[in-house]
Structures are given as structure tokens and as C-alpha cells.
Amino acid sequence: MFRRIIFIFLALSLVLTGCWDRQELNDQAIVLGWGMDLMEDGEYLATANLVLPLASKSGGQQGGEQAGQSGFMTESAFGKNNRDAEQNMQRKLSRVLFPGHRRNIFIGEKLAEKGVFSIMDEYGRSPMVRPRSNIFVVKGGTAQEAMSLAYQLEANPAIAVQKIQEKSGAPISRSLLDFFIMANGTGCGVMPALSIETPEVNTGKKTSNDSPPQTTLSLYGAAVFNEKLKLAGYLNYDEFWVRLWITNKLAFRNFTTIINAVDADKPGGEAADALSGATRGQSVSINVDTFKSHITPVMTGSLPKFRILLEGKGFIEENDSPLDLSKPENVNKVEARMNQYLEAKINKVVKKVQKEFKCDIFGFGDTIHHRHPYQWKKYAADWDTLFPDIDLDITVKLNLTGTGLTGKSLLPTRDGGEGK
């Protein structure tokens, strides 16, 4: 009996040797980007960016092309949801769709307005969807439009938007995971938002070698979703960094503000003067590459309050103002003016989120939950109605550690500037 069992095991090991369930690479269609749009009749339109196999006679990859051919192909199909559309798309493809390498997911604006609950379930359930994927809303357009655009600097537009986001100081490979975390926390959600931009100036193409600006993808900012996971509105490119700073997710950012002549006489001056733009052209730009946020809930009174200290460290990159930055006191004036400017800007954006979106996308409620869990029970159920009225005390403290390669400008002193 024992010999018979050994014989059966040996026979099975010979029959089952090897990867019997293997799937060859040349039988797979690798998906790098996936998009979903909502049509007028309520049906979903799925779009996929697929990697084109390198041609055998390829001479390399230039400008998103391989031997004169585009480096990607776009395919689409209708369906009742993600999986149904994927199945319908498969019947057009000679290879099996493989979403294991999918990095980016695009959502058209109409679908975002209707609500993303119907498609997000599959992204959290399927083992083929990476939680650390990037997910974007296409402002004023469809996912299919965004994914059909060729991007000259990258082989695939789905990869381009990820790199654009990274070069804007925003975290990447987190937006899908962050969305799930936020939706299960305060109930709101945030996704990066893209827009399709036409050239500012249409110069035309005079010769075949010319390369005028073309319609391209651009990072617009962030899309805010309410507790019903419906699009509540947008933060534009000059606003979305405020949330990233408050939530300790901002990597770097350039800031520019107006420096009035009053700054040459006394530190600071009135913030309203600097923000008015009356002396446009007298500006200073700084590069900040270190950000910290400290949120302290103050549990007094009927509503909680918050003290928010935002710190940053950077250096001056451009000075078009009359200030001589070889003098430390003038660097302090720039620091004071920049703090005023940023505090006013951040307060404006936070008020916009409180009054227009009524969504706690900054995680203030989570701060109470972590530090005062027993008191949070009192606010949790009504936080969406309490959040628009909570008071915030925001302070910005920048530390400018340098003025670039020179202190005093190498150019002659401009009109209104300080003497030599």
C-alpha cells in the first residue's frame, strides 16, 4: 500500500511538473492607464492605455514613438461597470488584459459629478488593482480625451501625468489609497485633477522640423468629493498645495509675492499692499523644500478650535524688488512679507473649503479623534455640519537660509532701489 502511494505521488509530480497555469508575456496586453466615463444613457465607457510591444526593427524610442509608431494604443468599450466593460474590451484584443502594472486611473468629470462609489468598489476588491495607484479627475473633459493625447516627452500619457504630479511637489502612488482612507475617516475625499490645455499662443508649423506647442495634459489641482463621494468642487494649482502643507504631504514649492517700496523702509508693511499687485514687477520668489505642519486642537467652548503652525525652510531664488539682499535685515523683510502673504493665502483657501465644499479635507477631525477620543464621540456624528464654523488660528514661519549664488544683485540698482 505504501509503495502504491509513493508511486502515485511520483506519477503526479511528473505530470504536474512546470508552471501549468503560466501565461506568457507575449500573450498579455499590459495596461498602464485605465479610464472611466459616464455616458448620457447611464452606461460606462472604459478606456485603456496599452503598451505596444517593441517592433523587431525598432531603432529606439523617441518622443513617445517607436520606429515611427506610437508607443501606446488606446482601446475602449462600454459596460455596466469596470469588469463588464473590461470583458467587452477583451473581445477586441488578441492578448489578455493585464492590469497588474496599472499605475494611473482616470475619471471623467461627469462621472465624478454623479458619484464615484459605483466604480471605486472594484478598485478596493480586485487583487489586480494596486492600492498605491494614482487616480485623477479630468476637469472639464473625459478620461478618454485625456488618455488619447500623445505626450511628446513620455512614451505614454498615463506615465506623463504621474511625473507631472511628482514635479509639482505632490506625493505620487498614494491617491487611491488616500482616497479610501479619507472616505472611511471624515467621509470626504480628494483626488488630483487634470485638465486638457490648448497652447497659450498658436504659432503654427512652418516647416516639418518645427515643434510648436500642442494641446497637452496639465495638472489643474485637486478635486474635492463630499461625503456622498460626489464632486463638490476643485482647488486650482495655486490652491491645492495648501492642503498638502497642512497634511504634511508637500515636498517642495516656489512662492512669489510682491514687495512694495514700503518694505525698504520698515519690515513687513501692510499685507494688503503686497497682495494688491499695485507694484507688480517688484517681486521676490523663494524655493521652499522643507515643510512641517503642527495641528493643535483647543477643546474649549461648544466648538473645538485649532492652532495651526506651518513651518518651512528655503532660499531666495529671484529678486526683482529694490531690496539689497546682501543685507541680513532685508532678508528678514522678505521673510516677514512672505509669511504675511502665505498666511493670507492659506486662510483664504481654508475658508473656501469650509464654506463652499463643507468637507474636512485637512484631517482636523482626525486630529481630535486621535488626541481626544472621548470628546470626539461628541462631535463625530455632526462633524460635517460643525466643520464650516470652526475657528482656525493659522501661523506661518518660514526660515530663509540663503539668497542663491549672490546677495546683492549683479545688475545695476534699479529705479527706487537702494544706493550702492
Side-chain angles (χ1 to χ4, degrees), residues 259-281:
I259 300 295
N260 281 344
V262 67
D263 287 309
D265 302 323
K266 58 182 180 181
E270 296 297 328
D273 295 337
L275 300 175
S276 68
T279 54
R280 192 173 297 279

Side-chain angles (χ1 to χ4, degrees), residues 13 20 33 46 50 52 74 76-77 84 145 153 165 174 180 192 227 280 283 292 312-313 319 331 349 366 375 387 419:
S13 64
W20 55 272
L50 306 173
L52 278 183
T74 305
S76 60
D84 190 45
E145 290 173 337
L153 284 176
Q165 186 186 13
R174 282 201 57 90
F180 281 126
E227 69 279 2
R280 192 173 297 279
S283 58
K292 286 185 179 178
K313 185 182 294 184
N319 174 34
V331 175
V349 173
D366 290 337
Q375 297 189 51
F387 170 71

Side-chain angles (χ1 to χ4, degrees), residues 298-318:
V298 181
M299 309 304 291
T300 58
S302 58
L303 281 179
K305 300 179 181 178
F306 291 89
R307 286 198 301 268
I308 302 166
L309 173 60
L310 302 176
E311 296 178 302
K313 185 182 294 184
F315 59 93
I316 298 174
E317 281 196 320
E318 183 174 350

Side-chain angles (χ1 to χ4, degrees), residues 248-260:
N248 269 320
K249 293 178 181 175
L250 185 60
F252 55 85
R253 180 80 184 179
N254 289 337
F255 300 109
T256 298
T257 189
I258 304 296
I259 300 295
N260 281 344

Side-chain angles (χ1 to χ4, degrees), residues 349-399:
V349 173
V350 172
K351 287 294 180 187
K352 173 181 177 178
V353 173
Q354 283 184 289
K355 301 304 178 184
E356 294 185 21
F357 304 151
K358 298 179 173 56
C359 293
D360 180 10
I361 61 174
F362 305 106
F364 297 141
D366 290 337
T367 306
I368 300 178
H369 188 190
H370 294 154
R371 299 188 186 181
H372 307 280
Y374 292 105
Q375 297 189 51
W376 173 245
K377 294 179 181 178
K378 183 172 63 176
Y379 303 117
D382 301 318
W383 187 243
D384 55 337
T385 58
L386 299 176
F387 170 71
D389 297 320
I390 62 173
D391 290 330
L392 305 170
D393 180 12
I394 298 174
T395 303
V396 176
K397 285 188 177 180
L398 288 181
N399 180 17

